[in-house]
Amino acid sequence: MSGYILRRLAQLLPVTLLASLAIWAMIYAVPGGPVGAMVGENATPEQIRAVTERLGLDRPVLVQYGAWLGKALKGDLGLSLQNRQPVMELILERVPATVQLGIAAILIGLLIGVPIAILSALHPRSRLDRLLSGWSALALGVPTFWLGILLILLFAVELRWLPSASTYVAFWESPTKAISNLLLPATTLGVYVSGIFARFLRASLIGELHADYVRTARAKGLPERDVIGRHVLRNALLPFITIVGLMLASFIGGALVTEAVFTYPGLGRLLIQAISTRDYPLIQGAILFILVIYVVINLLVDVAYAWVDPRIEYG
Amino acid sequence: MTATPPALEVSGLKKHFPVQKGLLKRTVAQVKAVDGVSFAIQPGETLCLVGESGCGKSTVAKVALRLIEPTAGSIKLDGVEVSQLDAEAMRPFRKRIQIVFQDPYASLNPIRTVEAIVAEPLHIHGVFDAMGGNARVGWLLDLVGLSRTMTGRYPRELSGGQRQRVGIARALALEPRLLILDEPVAALDVSIQAQVVNLLMDLQVELGLAYLFIAHDLSVVRHISDRVAVMYLGRIVEEGTRDQLYARPVHPYTQSLLSAVPVPEPGNAGRRIVLEGDIPNPADPPGGCAFHPRCYRATERCTREAPAFAAYPGLDTRVACHHAGPLTADELPAAAEVLT
Amino acid sequence: MSASQRPALVAARRVLAQKSAFMAAVFLLGMALIAFLAPWILPGDPLTQNLRHALEPPSAAFWFGADELGRDILTRVVYGARTSLVTALGAVAIAGLIGVPIGLVAGFYGGWRDAVLMRLVDVILALPGILFAMALIAVIGRSQMAALVAVGITGIPSFARITRAQVLSLRRRDFVIAVDAMGGSASHLMFRTILPNSWSPILVQIVILAAVAILLEAALAFLGVGIPPPTPSWGEMLRTGKSYLYEAPYYAILPGLVLTLTILALDTLGRTLATVLEDRQGSTGEPEPEGQRL
């Protein structure tokens, strides 16, 4: 097991380092190079000299990268160009909002997706099944940003039940406010999650339902509820983890877009704002931060998968 | 005048596959798929290489064709050493040695027409026009008994026998001197098998081809072979002329294989030697003579000492066995099972 | 003489025999045709502004209303299809022309070439596609070309992986070994023997990736980092429409609907294609088509 984790790490580490190198190097590719990125293209020679010295741009390239990475590992991502605040602080400020949105979206996705998966797996190829698989096709096909706009049009513009723009309110501070702010964005993102679960959980449930142990459980006279609850769902944990791994990239992308639709103050919006103001240290910091989170979750998914499935070769 | 060199001569041929494990891909064992095989095939001659699946006979074919690199040993085509040639230097020699595969469907490119498949070797060597172009393709199809209406067909539209004829036509396109026939009829219906074997025998006479015919049992190759070599776990255990090997096998393994061939012969009829156990794991072969755990003649010496491959006195046969000799009458009841 | 059918035609016929795939193909073909013929069949121009008609609701003159600059929304949606089409073609071309050779070489030679190439490809996968594209655009600036290249690069890994898997399975097949035995060169083996037999999963991936590319381009435009205005783009229209939800609620309907239908159609086509080709090829073990959604 630990050998397996080590091997995955050995695969991920060079890729992550290379990606971080690319993120660091992007500042060299912008017009005017790193100095131009810091002071703009119409800077005076004094300004340029000052920035060059302050950032240590006269040092060899690899030394600069090493210094940048070393600082980043200690949590120092530099200062934002916009308001001179530490980038790390700006990022951490936004994390709770994004995490809360993500959790809410997954809950909504499960709430819709799992019952659909179970219903259609119990009656495969029935009319109900076809109707429900239509849902997953739609849920996966509709662009998040259009769905969000439609929801706003219906619930905010027409019915005026919910706000069209959402702010972040911590759930434990005011659950009702948090829910009214989260309901639309979390549903928007959750529909995608529900589609993924409806499609892939259904497939693996059908596989499980026809497995021998289910027939045995039924033959023993176990109530159908227990057959599904105790046996099938537990064995479907494996596909569950697979699905999480499968949807991760799209989920992060979807979260980014959803935040933009609802002008929700999360990490994604921070990044978009940074790009539109050409705040390069903030862009680099945010992307590096998401990269690390993404790689770590991916690794966790792999490890969890190996943990649950004893058939995986660790050797 | 020196005699004509053999069309193919291999000596001391070895192919070991490493078994790797762990993060650093340490080699923990070697599978000795081919472990010291030597034979020569004269021009126009057929050598049959016979053994159970997994004995390494197909690996011999692939190594002889330089499709995989030998671990050790020499490969000579018409007397020229080719085992060390790089891909580019090997190219001209590829015209002299060609292969016909077991599965005639898997061996034909599914998205090419019969015509394109047969012409491909000519194009690869840039001799399509020089060797007659479409006329040569037509001639090749005639040669293997395929109607010209087949030229535009795709492999999936052909029967198994027709596909194998296409495979043979392709192998003959470059006028090779030697064909390696890797169980060419094993995947075909019995009625088609005889047709294809007969075609191969006719082609041999007509074109003066040498064959290395690989088979997993002795019955198929009886008619086509001049000499027969029997392989067990990466080595040749007995080699002799066809008549001698079929009539007077001296290695216990050959004897057991032959007893499985349903040939009505006085005295032997209906008796079958059943070997005990399975083929051992080639990554961990038994010490001494690799055959000893399944052998009815095995003694303590066989567990210690690997027998040398040497001529058997009085016969034109070479054998690797400490206790080589014709099957005796008193062995039969002990070793054979009477079939009803 | 019996007419032999080219395998591609057989597959195409079987795909179109499915009702949903047929409808998807008709929709896509119709849209491409209208987009192509737009200058001849539409009276207006997508860029001409007429502020007197700004945000005018749907009427006989503006079937789907007018935008904030008085431009006909329907016209802009049709011209937006051109943008999407160009992005999809360009991005798929970039992804395929880079990804397929990478997968070919990595799978064919194996060893260190495989390790190095696939690790490089993994770097693209180290970030979700849209983030990777945004990072790239942050560097090279915002333009139609930038959007196209960024979307194309994010598609490289799926082509590389699928081609590599295909090479690995084909490399062991007898008809490939036969070419080896004939003395076929490495490039002959890769480009004449293996690649032509890998078309089916690559084709499926082309269709799937076209959907991903259109979606990604629209998302980038929606985020304000894609194709810059005034080029008509569905994503850009949704972005602007979102600012006028109260004044012109109809603004965002048509571009979103057409975008969704396009993606659903491509998806349906790709999935049917995958089923049909898998069926035909039987044991090759087609790799799953890959593509990130938003």
Side-chain angles (χ1 to χ4, degrees):
Chain A
M1 185 72 201
S2 59
Y4 173 77
I5 297 175
L6 276 179
R7 204 162 42 128
R8 283 296 291 145
L9 268 178
Q11 281 172 347
L12 284 172
L13 212 61
V15 170
T16 313
L17 275 176
L18 226 67
S20 78
L21 184 67
I23 292 170
W24 169 78
M26 69 186 245
I27 201 143
Y28 281 83
V30 305
V35 182
M38 296 291 160
V39 295
E41 281 166 53
N42 307 320
T44 61
E46 291 83 62
Q47 278 177 302
I48 293 179
R49 201 171 325 117
V51 169
T52 308
E53 261 170 44
R54 182 163 57 81
L55 298 179
L57 293 171
D58 35 10
R59 289 174 298 171
V61 168
L62 270 180
V63 175
Q64 291 182 45
Y65 167 66
W68 177 79
L69 189 67
K71 276 186 173 174
L73 286 176
K74 282 188 231 137
D76 178 4
L77 293 170
L79 295 179
S80 157
L81 296 181
Q82 284 296 306
N83 48 17
R84 297 283 149 204
Q85 264 183 287
V87 166
M88 198 63 181
E89 242 170 57
L90 289 171
I91 291 174
L92 290 179
E93 227 173 72
R94 301 294 189 101
V95 167
T98 297
V99 169
Q100 184 164 302
L101 171 64
I103 291 174
I106 288 173
L107 284 179
I108 290 177
L110 289 177
L111 226 57
I112 307 172
V114 172
I116 289 181
I118 294 176
L119 270 180
S120 42
L122 285 177
H123 311 280
R125 292 178 188 282
S126 66
R127 204 183 303 165
L128 180 71
D129 182 29
R130 258 177 292 150
L131 197 76
L132 294 176
S133 70
W135 165 268
S136 57
L138 214 60
L140 293 176
V142 175
T144 307
F145 41 100
W146 191 51
L147 179 66
I149 289 176
L150 290 182
L151 289 177
I152 293 176
L153 279 175
L154 181 61
F155 292 101
V157 177
E158 285 302 315
L159 301 170
R160 296 181 187 269
W161 290 352
L162 294 164
S164 68
S166 301
T167 53
Y168 167 64
V169 179
F171 183 76
W172 53 86
E173 280 169 11
S174 167
T176 47
K177 259 191 172 169
I179 287 175
S180 78
N181 271 295
L182 268 179
L183 206 53
L184 286 186
T187 306
T188 304
L189 188 53
V191 163
Y192 166 76
V193 178
S194 82
I196 285 270
F197 272 94
R199 180 171 288 173
F200 292 98
L201 194 60
R202 170 190 174 273
S204 58
L205 280 178
I206 288 178
E208 292 297 333
L209 281 168
H210 290 94
D212 284 343
Y213 70 90
V214 174
R215 232 178 305 151
T216 313
R218 287 208 177 111
K220 278 195 307 193
L222 224 58
E224 190 66 17
R225 198 156 41 103
D226 285 3
V227 174
I228 304 291
R230 284 205 201 147
H231 291 262
V232 177
L233 276 182
R234 190 191 298 172
N235 277 283
L237 192 62
L238 210 59
F240 186 91
I241 298 169
T242 318
I243 293 168
V244 171
L246 216 64
M247 67 172 207
L248 189 59
S250 304
F251 185 71
I252 293 179
L256 195 90
V257 173
T258 306
E259 289 185 3
V261 175
F262 294 92
T263 52
Y264 183 79
L267 207 49
R269 248 182 86 67
L270 181 71
L271 176 62
I272 295 162
Q273 283 165 345
I275 290 178
S276 62
T277 56
R278 298 177 170 264
D279 190 341
Y280 288 102
L282 188 52
I283 299 175
Q284 285 178 310
I287 292 181
L288 187 69
F289 186 84
I290 299 173
L291 167 78
V292 171
I293 301 284
Y294 183 57
V295 168
V296 168
I297 299 180
N298 259 322
L299 184 67
L300 287 179
V301 166
D302 282 350
V303 171
Y305 196 76
W307 191 285
V308 173
D309 189 350
R311 287 167 302 192
I312 295 218
E313 281 262 353
Y314 306 131
Chain B
M1 275 289 290
T2 50
T4 332
L8 169 68
E9 183 177 11
V10 303
S11 47
L13 199 64
K14 290 184 181 179
K15 179 63 200 179
H16 298 177
F17 295 101
V19 180
Q20 292 173 332
K21 249 191 167 166
L23 187 62
L24 300 172
K25 299 258 166 69
R26 272 174 305 117
T27 300
V28 292
Q30 296 278 348
V31 174
K32 298 180 177 176
V34 177
D35 196 23
V37 162
S38 306
F39 59 78
I41 304 171
Q42 302 304 324
E45 185 191 40
T46 300
L47 174 70
C48 287
L49 194 58
V50 179
E52 291 166 283
S53 54
C55 73
K57 55 193 193 298
S58 287
T59 308
V60 169
K62 291 205 171 100
V63 174
L65 282 158
R66 291 285 314 277
L67 292 173
I68 50 180
E69 294 307 307
T71 308
S74 104
I75 306 161
K76 284 183 186 165
L77 288 177
D78 298 319
V80 183
E81 177 66 48
V82 297
S83 63
Q84 302 302 321
L85 297 182
D86 63 30
E88 201 42 49
M90 185 67 204
R91 261 167 72 87
F93 289 96
R94 299 224 176 262
K95 292 187 196 171
R96 305 192 193 182
I97 176 168
Q98 278 298 315
I99 179 167
V100 176
F101 293 91
Q102 172 176 4
D103 181 345
Y105 189 68
S107 62
L108 302 181
N109 193 334
I111 58 168
R112 295 215 165 183
T113 59
V114 166
E115 197 176 15
I117 289 170
V118 175
E120 189 169 21
L122 300 169
H123 286 298
I124 283 177
H125 286 271
V127 295
F128 182 74
D129 292 319
M131 288 184 83
N134 284 326
R136 171 147 183 94
V137 173
W139 179 81
L140 284 163
L141 293 178
D142 285 346
L143 192 65
V144 297
L146 279 174
S147 132
R148 299 257 176 137
T149 59
M150 301 283 175
T151 49
R153 302 263 181 104
Y154 290 92
R156 78 193 134 80
E157 298 172 308
L158 305 180
S159 72
Q162 288 171 333
R163 286 176 202 155
Q164 199 56 300
R165 286 169 197 265
V166 175
I168 294 168
R170 173 180 63 185
L172 293 174
L174 291 166
E175 296 182 336
R177 314 235 308 135
L178 175 87
L179 282 194
I180 292 183
L181 307 162
D182 189 359
E183 306 205 39
V185 299
L188 303 178
D189 291 342
V190 179
S191 57
I192 311 292
Q193 285 188 356
Q195 288 177 18
V196 173
V197 170
N198 286 337
L199 170 69
L200 287 168
M201 290 173 77
D202 293 345
L203 288 170
Q204 183 166 43
V205 175
E206 200 170 326
L207 304 172
L209 294 165
Y211 287 157
L212 174 61
F213 195 118
I214 292 168
H216 63 265
D217 72 58
L218 283 159
S219 63
V220 181
V221 296
R222 179 153 202 168
H223 298 290
I224 196 169
S225 54
D226 295 312
R227 283 183 305 122
V228 179
V230 176
M231 261 186 98
Y232 188 78
L233 272 190
R235 294 177 190 217
I236 294 179
V237 294
E238 180 168 3
E239 190 215 324
T241 62
R242 172 189 54 187
D243 294 341
Q244 221 138 61
L245 191 123
Y246 277 85
R248 301 198 67 193
V250 293
H251 194 285
Y253 182 60
T254 316
Q255 289 157 358
S256 76
L257 285 183
L258 273 175
S259 78
V261 177
V263 179
E265 269 181 27
N268 266 8
R271 286 167 184 265
R272 208 158 91 90
I273 301 170
V274 176
L275 293 177
E276 286 170 22
D278 293 320
I279 299 179
N281 175 6
D284 182 24
C289 172
F291 186 57
H292 81 258
R294 303 173 74 191
C295 182
Y296 47 86
R297 283 183 192 156
T299 59
E300 186 267 338
R301 185 185 172 199
C302 303
T303 65
R304 270 188 294 112
E305 192 184 325
F309 187 53
Y312 182 78
L315 291 175
D316 186 12
T317 292
R318 290 189 296 167
V319 65
C321 179
H322 295 306
H323 308 290
L327 203 61
T328 58
D330 59 316
E331 269 175 335
L332 269 174
E337 177 185 329
V338 180
L339 297 179
T340 49
Chain C
M1 221 174 116
S2 85
S4 281
Q5 293 189 331
R6 302 184 122 265
L9 287 177
V10 180
R13 199 163 302 153
R14 287 194 49 201
V15 169
L16 294 180
Q18 308 264 338
K19 202 164 60 176
S20 56
F22 182 79
M23 278 161 55
V26 167
F27 173 80
L28 291 169
L29 220 64
M31 210 187 58
L33 209 67
I34 292 173
F36 186 74
L37 298 174
W40 292 279
I41 54 176
L42 284 176
D45 175 282
L47 301 180
T48 312
Q49 304 180 7
N50 190 342
L51 290 174
R52 269 195 307 141
H53 296 292
L55 295 178
E56 222 173 80
S59 64
F62 302 100
W63 290 4
F64 286 86
D67 72 4
E68 78 284 5
L69 299 172
R71 299 172 295 193
D72 182 42
I73 288 182
L74 177 61
T75 307
R76 282 185 67 75
V77 166
V78 170
Y79 279 87
R82 294 183 140 202
T83 311
S84 290
L85 203 67
V86 169
T87 312
L89 289 178
V92 168
I94 289 175
L97 288 176
I98 300 176
V100 169
I102 286 179
L104 265 182
V105 170
F108 187 82
Y109 289 105
W112 65 269
R113 290 182 185 87
D114 185 21
V116 168
L117 285 173
M118 293 322 280
R119 280 302 92 80
L120 280 177
V121 161
D122 281 350
V123 172
I124 300 175
L125 289 176
L127 281 173
I130 188 166
L131 270 168
F132 189 92
M134 285 171 72
L136 216 62
I137 289 169
V139 175
I140 56 183
R142 196 179 162 194
S143 69
Q144 174 148 23
M145 192 43 94
L148 198 145
V149 169
V151 173
I153 289 178
T154 61
I156 291 175
S158 53
F159 274 117
R161 286 178 160 200
I162 274 171
T163 308
R164 178 175 175 275
Q166 197 66 15
V167 175
L168 289 181
S169 97
L170 287 171
R171 191 79 181 86
R172 269 171 295 183
R173 299 267 292 271
D174 282 350
F175 73 86
V176 177
I177 297 174
V179 176
D180 217 349
M182 287 171 212
S185 59
S187 72
H188 186 100
L189 276 163
M190 280 190 275
F191 293 102
R192 307 286 298 277
T193 310
I194 293 175
L195 186 58
N197 275 286
S198 308
W199 271 120
S200 37
I202 293 177
L203 195 68
V204 172
Q205 195 57 32
I206 285 176
V207 177
I208 299 281
L209 212 70
V212 175
I214 288 175
L215 188 62
L216 193 51
E217 182 271 314
L220 289 172
F222 179 78
L223 296 176
V225 296
I227 295 172
T231 309
S233 147
W234 297 337
E236 172 66 30
M237 294 181 78
L238 287 174
R239 173 186 172 77
T240 322
K242 195 181 82 71
S243 317
Y244 299 104
L245 284 179
Y246 289 89
E247 299 90 328
Y250 47 83
Y251 193 145
I253 300 287
L254 188 64
L257 185 68
V258 176
L259 172 63
T260 304
L261 287 178
T262 306
I263 287 160
L264 285 176
L266 282 169
D267 230 35
T268 307
L269 209 59
R271 287 157 59 81
T272 315
L273 203 58
T275 325
V276 165
L277 293 174
E278 207 172 313
D279 208 33
R280 193 168 61 82
Q281 295 226 324
S283 56
T284 5
E286 299 288 331
E288 272 276 308
E290 291 185 26
Q292 290 173 16
R293 282 277 174 261
L294 294 165

Coordinates of all heavy atoms in Angstrom, one line a residue, chain A residues 8 29 129 192 239 268 272:
Chain A
R8 N 2.7 6.5 -6.9 CA 1.9 7.5 -7.5 C 2.5 8.9 -7.3 O 2.5 9.7 -8.1 CB 0.5 7.5 -6.8 CG -0.4 6.4 -7.3 CD -0.7 6.6 -8.8 NE -1.6 7.8 -9.1 CZ -1.5 8.5 -10.1 NH1 -0.6 8.3 -11.0 NH2 -2.3 9.5 -10.3
A29 N 6.8 35.3 -20.2 CA 6.3 35.3 -21.5 C 5.4 36.5 -21.8 O 5.0 36.8 -22.9 CB 5.5 34.0 -21.8
D129 N -36.4 4.4 -17.0 CA -34.9 4.4 -17.2 C -34.5 5.4 -18.3 O -33.6 6.2 -18.2 CB -34.4 3.0 -17.4 CG -32.9 3.0 -17.5 OD1 -32.3 3.8 -16.9 OD2 -32.4 2.1 -18.3
Y192 N -24.8 19.3 -12.7 CA -23.8 18.6 -13.4 C -23.4 17.3 -12.6 O -23.3 16.2 -13.2 CB -22.6 19.5 -13.6 CG -21.3 18.7 -14.0 CD1 -21.2 18.2 -15.3 CD2 -20.4 18.4 -13.1 CE1 -20.1 17.4 -15.6 CE2 -19.3 17.6 -13.4 CZ -19.2 17.1 -14.7 OH -18.1 16.3 -15.0
P239 N -17.1 2.5 -7.3 CA -17.4 3.4 -8.4 C -17.6 4.8 -8.0 O -17.3 5.8 -8.7 CB -18.7 2.8 -9.0 CG -19.1 1.7 -8.1 CD -17.9 1.3 -7.3
G268 N -12.5 31.4 -7.8 CA -12.6 31.5 -9.3 C -12.7 32.9 -9.7 O -12.1 33.4 -10.6
I272 N -10.4 35.4 -12.0 CA -10.8 36.1 -13.2 C -10.5 37.6 -13.1 O -10.1 38.2 -14.0 CB -12.3 35.8 -13.4 CG1 -12.6 34.3 -13.7 CG2 -12.9 36.7 -14.5 CD1 -14.0 33.9 -13.5

